[in-house]
Amino acid sequence: MAKLHHFHGGLQLEGHKAESVSQPLRQASLPERLILPLRQHIGDYNKPLVEIGNRVLKGEVIAATSSLICAAVHAPTSGIVSAIGNYPVPHPSGQADRCIVIDVDGEDEATRADVIDPRQLSAEEMIQRICRAGIVGLGGAAFPTSPKISRGKAQGVDTLIINGVECEPYITCDDMLMRSDAAEVIRGCGYLQQILSPQTTLIAIEDNKPEAIAAITRALGENPLANTEIITIPTIYPSGGEKQLIQILTGKEIPHGQLAFDIGLLCHNVGTCAAITRALEQDQALISRIVTCTGNNLVQPSNWEVRLGTPISHLIELAGGYQDKDDAYLVMGGPMMGFALSSDTLPIVKASNCIMVMREETIPHSPGYHDECIRCGKCTEVCPAQLLPQQLYWHARAKAYERTQEFNLFDCIECGCCSAVCPSQIPLVQYYRAAKSEIRAAHKALFKSDRARARFEFREKRLLLKKQQDEERRRLKREALKLKQVKSADAEAAPDPVQAALERVKERKAVQEENR
Amino acid sequence: MTSVVVSSPYVAPGNSLKRLMIQVIIALVPGTLAYAWFFGPGVIVNIVLAIIFALTFEAGILKLRAKPIMPHLTDFSAVVAAWLFALCLPMHAPWWLVLTGIGFAMVAGKHLYGGLGFNPFNPAMVGYVVLLISFPREMTTWYLPGSVSGETLSLAESLAYSFGSADIDQWDALSSATPLDQVKTGVGQSIPISEIRQSPLFGDYAGRGWEWIAFWWFVGGVYMLATKTIRWHIPASLLAAVMTLSLIFYLVDPEVYPSPLFHLLSGAVVIGAFFIATDPVSAATTNLGRIYYGLMIGCLIYVIRAWGGYPDGIAFAVLLANMCVPLIDYYTQPRVYGEE
């Protein structure tokens, strides 16, 4: 086995994973209504392709766009489109977004699948099928998978990394997937190899998931893949972050401003691999995902294969319901990087790896009073990006955004380690998020004002040119008029133009004579 | 249902300011007890007085600043500052000396800059230096350890001294210079060190009593390192600087320059290295910066001791290094992930 490396900092956290792995992975029942946001990925908006009243079938594309960085949305089951409009969606901003609402008819009638043996397909055809299936990275970031693969293919991939690390506490959806469907993951890994032909493939799993490691090892034994290794890595947060995992496995750092495929690496989550398998083998779109429903305010923490668009309340009911609904605090994602949800009516989306149902009193950082930074530097010790969090905090708080950029604010991966160790209990990441969005907003405003200025200047120039042209035209007209008047005056003086012409010819001849 | 939307992480904090300060206080106990063992309970009287005054000043100024009072008082940062300040004082100091010093430390050194976290200078050292400059006589009246003079002041006598009801001259026979003073004066008069060290003030390596107190400060420092209350960079580099410089000069002329062990175990080097220079607020924050910071303090201590006007130089060394912290931090930023 290859030698493992370390990344800077990180934390050993209480796992809280045992709670939700005691139950087997189950299929969630269909709710009455599905709410499907048009954008469930990083990238451009989809346009709805259906109208209110249309009947849609399971797997039918209901929203798509031709943009490159995009993933289409499919109907997770059959039903009638009952509304298209703004609904609250799971997003840190808490704002509403465009959604398609489907009233489920319970038939679960599917479109006809176009099943072909994936081994017969060319790499381009495979990428196209993955694109058609609307697959995004299921680790939580939800970046569309097909552009990532095709870019990797174009640049060449040495090492394919399959991420089964799942380092955040509470989340166990990848663990449960590997335990229950290891063969699907391995086959997906094989298809990625078929597309990318990497020299090595590394499947990384944290050592706190022995069952998953055993299952994947067994599946790889049954379906051996060339140059593929399962690597057990120590449990330390955030080793599942792409940059950190790459550093652990290869010792390489992704240079500033570049991406993994720029140094010949490509990372895919195990859940994404399974989705790729389904897309290629069964022509099945991404219409469901495994969600961990857990937390200290839930009756039965467990994992469920949930259709996208299912309201969170439906999932919580399946998991036994709340212990105390009045005291519930909902988080999507894990405790370190997740975000709070304002209501349980929000739908499960492609990025929903975990729903945490917590007791409010166990949520530590309340806004308002916190101690001041004493510059102890504990945050610096744990920062996996090797930043100086306390300096960032200092400048972010003072709204000195240029200084925050000098201290590399945008290299912050928002893992939350600094906030977790801060003795003054400062919600550091909250300050960084605020600073980042302020800077982004300022950039956007600057871009807009630049564009407005450019347009204004162009218009001014155009008006000026028009004015000049008009003046020129008027001048010409005036001159022409003047000439006409002079001519008419001449005409009065010399009434015989033939005589005049003859005289002019005579004159010219005389001049020519002289010149000779 | 989720009422307040709070940003992640949602894990219970594993650390708090209060916990950090309590660790420091625990680490101060053995050295303080050793101090009282050798020099009598006067030091405890000083510490208690300083803490009471410090909390009073802090509460008053927090009220003026319209800040929450109890959360700040119970973070124990004022207690730690007062404790360290009191340890710098002569073992028997009148109450008004304690009051003036800690008052200046809390008001000017800490809160006028914005309170905890914003003070560029170590408040305890600010208070101490103000006293050293303003009240040189009171600040340099030290006493013999009990094992030399045969008696130490009782608690009642110490209290009487502090509150001025005792006749101060009564204990004149007990007053003495510190070993560092003795060396400085002696060397100034061209007395060889081997001769100076014949005085009963000196023990095996440094001042009698002092060397053991230093040992217990060291034990407290190791406890703080073990509990990760402080990091090793500042104490290690500070002690290394003092040891290296003193070794060089000791090798040049051992009759003029005392041994490295004498420097290490005399005065406030050990407590300074582990407890004073490590005040996170006023120290450098990058690891490399902390090493420069510690080296700078160590070198300044030696320079002040060997050639400066004061027998010990921790306070001035720390304050001078405090001034350089923004510069040190700026030029010692660590390499960010992914950068060449």
Side-chain angles (χ1 to χ4, degrees):
Chain A
M1 195 177 93
K3 184 185 165 292
L4 292 184
H5 304 261
H6 294 281
F7 63 90
H8 182 266
L11 281 180
Q12 269 168 342
L13 299 167
E14 275 178 56
H16 288 289
K17 295 190 183 243
E19 292 95 316
S20 54
V21 293
S22 61
Q23 300 284 313
L25 174 63
R26 276 169 288 175
Q27 294 283 334
S29 59
L30 282 170
E32 282 173 14
R33 229 163 62 123
L34 296 171
I35 305 160
L36 294 143
L38 293 186
R39 188 167 71 161
Q40 302 181 31
H41 53 265
I42 293 177
D44 295 314
Y45 266 92
N46 285 314
K47 288 186 190 78
L49 303 178
V50 288
E51 280 167 22
I52 296 172
N54 284 13
R55 178 157 193 267
V56 289
L57 299 179
K58 174 180 169 183
E60 190 178 328
V61 182
I62 54 172
T65 176
S66 56
S67 165
L68 185 63
I69 309 294
C70 200
V73 178
H74 302 72
T77 185
S78 58
I80 307 287
V81 176
S82 62
I84 300 174
N86 282 343
Y87 290 84
V89 296
H91 189 271
S93 72
Q95 283 174 344
D97 203 0
R98 297 270 288 165
C99 297
I100 295 173
V101 181
I102 299 174
D103 283 347
V104 175
D105 61 14
E107 314 251 317
D108 209 19
E109 190 186 333
T111 51
R112 208 173 56 82
D114 169 25
V115 179
I116 302 177
D117 183 354
R119 280 164 297 185
Q120 317 269 306
L121 295 171
S122 71
E124 280 68 32
E125 284 167 328
M126 288 170 92
I127 293 173
Q128 209 181 356
R129 280 182 168 245
I130 292 168
C131 178
R132 208 166 72 188
I135 297 174
V136 301
L138 294 178
F143 187 85
T145 300
S146 64
K148 190 168 160 182
I149 298 176
S150 46
R151 179 87 185 268
K153 169 100 184 135
Q155 296 197 210
V157 172
D158 284 342
T159 310
L160 172 66
I161 296 171
I162 304 301
N163 188 342
V165 176
E166 201 169 50
C167 60
E168 262 210 72
Y170 285 97
I171 310 177
T172 55
C173 59
D174 288 349
D175 188 2
M176 288 311 284
L177 168 70
M178 287 188 281
R179 291 186 196 196
S180 359
D181 282 318
E184 213 169 47
V185 174
I186 292 295
R187 291 207 301 280
C189 177
Y191 297 133
L192 282 171
Q193 288 178 340
Q194 195 184 327
I195 301 172
L196 298 162
S197 32
Q199 277 161 10
T200 13
T201 303
L202 306 174
I203 304 173
I205 308 172
E206 259 185 358
D207 59 9
N208 62 355
K209 301 174 191 59
E211 289 91 343
I213 295 168
I216 290 283
T217 310
R218 211 175 315 119
L220 188 62
E222 285 161 11
N223 177 17
L225 299 173
N227 302 317
T228 303
E229 214 180 326
I230 297 164
I231 303 206
T232 308
I233 63 167
T235 301
I236 179 162
Y237 178 83
S239 55
E242 186 180 73
K243 289 177 171 178
Q244 283 65 41
L245 183 57
I246 286 172
Q247 203 169 3
I248 292 171
L249 296 177
T250 67
K252 288 182 196 165
E253 289 183 13
I254 301 172
H256 201 79
Q258 293 188 22
L259 293 165
F261 37 58
D262 294 323
I263 55 169
L265 300 168
L266 202 61
C267 262
H268 281 289
N269 172 268
V270 286
T272 316
C273 287
I276 287 172
T277 304
R278 290 183 189 181
L280 294 177
E281 290 179 353
Q282 300 157 28
D283 192 29
Q284 197 191 97
L286 183 66
I287 53 167
S288 66
R289 68 156 297 148
I290 301 175
V291 183
T292 306
C293 194
T294 184
N296 56 20
N297 195 359
L298 190 72
V299 172
Q300 187 47 261
S302 40
N303 279 278
W304 298 84
E305 170 107 36
V306 185
R307 301 288 170 97
L308 300 175
T310 302
I312 288 166
S313 54
H314 183 78
L315 177 62
I316 291 174
E317 250 165 61
L318 289 175
Y322 296 96
Q323 287 177 12
D324 178 4
K325 188 165 181 178
D326 297 329
D327 188 34
Y329 194 95
L330 295 178
V331 173
M332 189 177 111
M336 297 300 283
M337 295 184 69
F339 54 89
L341 302 174
S342 57
S343 142
D344 62 6
T345 58
L346 270 49
I348 294 291
V349 293
K350 291 178 183 177
S352 314
N353 48 4
C354 178
I355 300 296
M356 286 173 63
V357 185
M358 302 300 283
R359 290 184 177 282
E360 184 149 357
E361 74 256 19
T362 56
I363 299 296
H365 290 142
S366 57
Y369 176 79
H370 62 72
D371 282 319
E372 290 304 334
C373 169
I374 57 161
R375 297 163 37 92
C376 65
K378 296 212 182 294
C379 47
T380 313
E381 285 164 31
V382 297
C383 179
Q386 290 157 256
L387 302 171
L388 289 174
Q390 87 275 24
Q391 301 282 26
L392 283 174
Y393 161 69
W394 183 266
H395 297 305
R397 213 179 103 121
K399 302 200 191 299
Y401 295 132
E402 266 179 36
R403 294 285 283 167
T404 61
Q405 280 168 283
E406 274 174 43
F407 281 91
N408 303 295
L409 175 67
F410 282 92
D411 284 313
C412 168
I413 57 168
E414 300 179 20
C415 64
C417 288
C418 52
S419 306
V421 298
C422 179
S424 296
Q425 293 162 20
I426 304 171
L428 292 161
V429 180
Q430 199 170 324
Y431 280 96
Y432 308 149
R433 285 188 184 127
K436 281 182 183 176
S437 58
E438 289 277 330
I439 293 169
R440 286 198 189 109
H443 273 245
K444 222 179 213 173
L446 189 71
F447 173 74
K448 269 188 182 164
S449 72
D450 277 352
R451 197 172 51 183
R453 190 181 324 111
R455 282 178 179 166
F456 175 74
E457 280 166 3
F458 184 77
R459 179 173 178 273
E460 289 290 287
K461 217 188 248 170
R462 181 170 57 81
L463 290 179
L464 190 72
L465 197 72
K466 189 165 180 290
K467 205 170 147 193
Q468 284 170 347
Q469 282 171 343
D470 285 352
E471 255 167 37
E472 180 70 10
R473 207 175 300 133
R474 274 200 293 274
R475 193 179 61 81
L476 287 176
K477 230 179 199 170
R478 265 201 306 275
E479 271 174 19
L481 204 67
K482 220 184 256 169
L483 209 67
K484 217 175 179 180
Q485 281 167 354
V486 170
K487 264 185 190 162
S488 55
D490 283 354
E492 274 168 27
D496 189 358
V498 178
Q499 195 60 38
L502 284 174
E503 266 168 30
R504 275 206 296 281
V505 171
K506 244 183 222 168
E507 258 173 48
R508 210 177 297 139
K509 271 186 180 167
V511 172
Q512 279 170 353
E513 294 285 286
E514 258 174 52
N515 284 354
R516 249 177 229 160
Chain B
M1 203 36 52
T2 314
S3 49
V4 273
V5 174
V6 184
S7 178
S8 57
Y10 304 110
V11 290
N15 209 344
S16 78
L17 215 53
K18 186 191 267 185
R19 223 191 98 196
L20 219 58
M21 295 295 167
I22 289 173
Q23 299 291 358
V24 178
I25 291 170
I26 292 171
L28 277 168
V29 169
T32 308
L33 290 179
Y35 202 140
W37 170 267
F38 285 105
F39 292 97
V43 62
I44 311 246
V45 173
N46 284 349
I47 290 170
V48 172
L49 278 182
I51 290 174
I52 293 169
F53 293 147
L55 291 176
T56 313
F57 274 113
E58 178 134 291
I61 201 149
L62 283 169
K63 190 157 175 57
L64 281 179
R65 294 180 61 205
K67 297 264 175 191
I69 294 174
M70 277 325 277
H72 281 296
L73 289 190
T74 53
D75 68 16
F76 296 131
S77 62
V79 174
V80 169
W83 197 312
L84 288 169
F85 163 79
L87 289 171
C88 304
L89 297 177
M91 42 288 263
H92 302 295
W95 64 270
W96 53 264
L97 198 66
V98 183
L99 180 81
T100 314
I102 196 66
F104 200 86
M106 284 294 132
V107 177
K110 187 175 176 183
H111 279 285
L112 286 189
Y113 284 108
L116 184 66
F118 297 99
N119 46 303
F121 299 104
N122 185 320
M125 293 302 101
V126 169
Y128 170 74
V129 162
V130 164
L131 293 188
L132 194 62
I133 294 167
S134 315
F135 308 101
R137 195 178 77 91
E138 285 80 358
M139 288 300 284
T140 48
T141 312
W142 294 77
Y143 290 81
L144 287 170
S147 54
V148 178
S149 64
E151 61 172 315
T152 51
L153 270 63
S154 71
L155 182 62
E157 286 168 328
S158 295
L159 283 170
Y161 193 116
S162 283
F163 292 99
S165 60
D167 177 10
I168 292 169
D169 297 332
Q170 180 189 341
W171 291 304
D172 243 10
L174 303 182
S175 74
S176 132
T178 64
L180 275 172
D181 266 325
Q182 198 101 343
V183 168
K184 187 151 198 95
T185 335
V187 168
Q189 293 161 357
S190 309
I191 304 169
I193 285 187
S194 52
E195 206 171 297
I196 301 170
R197 291 204 50 172
Q198 299 306 314
S199 150
L201 268 183
F202 292 88
D204 295 327
Y205 304 105
R208 191 173 292 227
W210 290 109
E211 52 197 17
W212 280 106
I213 298 171
F215 170 77
W216 287 106
W217 294 140
F218 186 80
V219 170
V222 170
Y223 171 78
M224 288 200 293
L225 284 174
T227 54
K228 294 190 174 163
T229 309
I230 57 169
R231 297 294 309 271
W232 59 270
H233 307 80
I234 295 174
S237 55
L238 192 157
L239 296 177
V242 171
M243 296 289 273
T244 312
L245 278 180
S246 53
L247 180 67
I248 293 169
F249 286 96
Y250 178 70
L251 292 176
V252 169
D253 191 349
E255 288 301 339
V256 178
Y257 300 103
S259 72
L261 219 52
F262 174 83
H263 272 292
L264 185 68
L265 298 176
S266 297
V269 167
V270 178
I271 188 177
F274 286 101
F275 291 90
I276 296 170
T278 52
D279 163 37
V281 177
S282 55
T285 69
T286 62
N287 285 340
L288 184 62
R290 283 169 173 168
I291 287 172
Y292 289 145
Y293 177 80
L295 287 175
M296 183 179 176
I297 296 176
C299 294
L300 282 171
I301 289 172
Y302 191 79
V303 168
I304 295 171
R305 279 185 176 185
W307 304 290
Y310 290 90
D312 206 351
I314 306 284
F316 291 107
V318 167
L319 292 179
L320 285 170
N322 286 164
M323 281 185 222
C324 303
V325 161
L327 204 66
I328 294 174
D329 277 349
Y330 188 81
Y331 285 107
T332 56
Q333 287 179 46
R335 186 188 68 91
V336 173
Y337 171 98
E339 274 190 349
E340 287 309 314

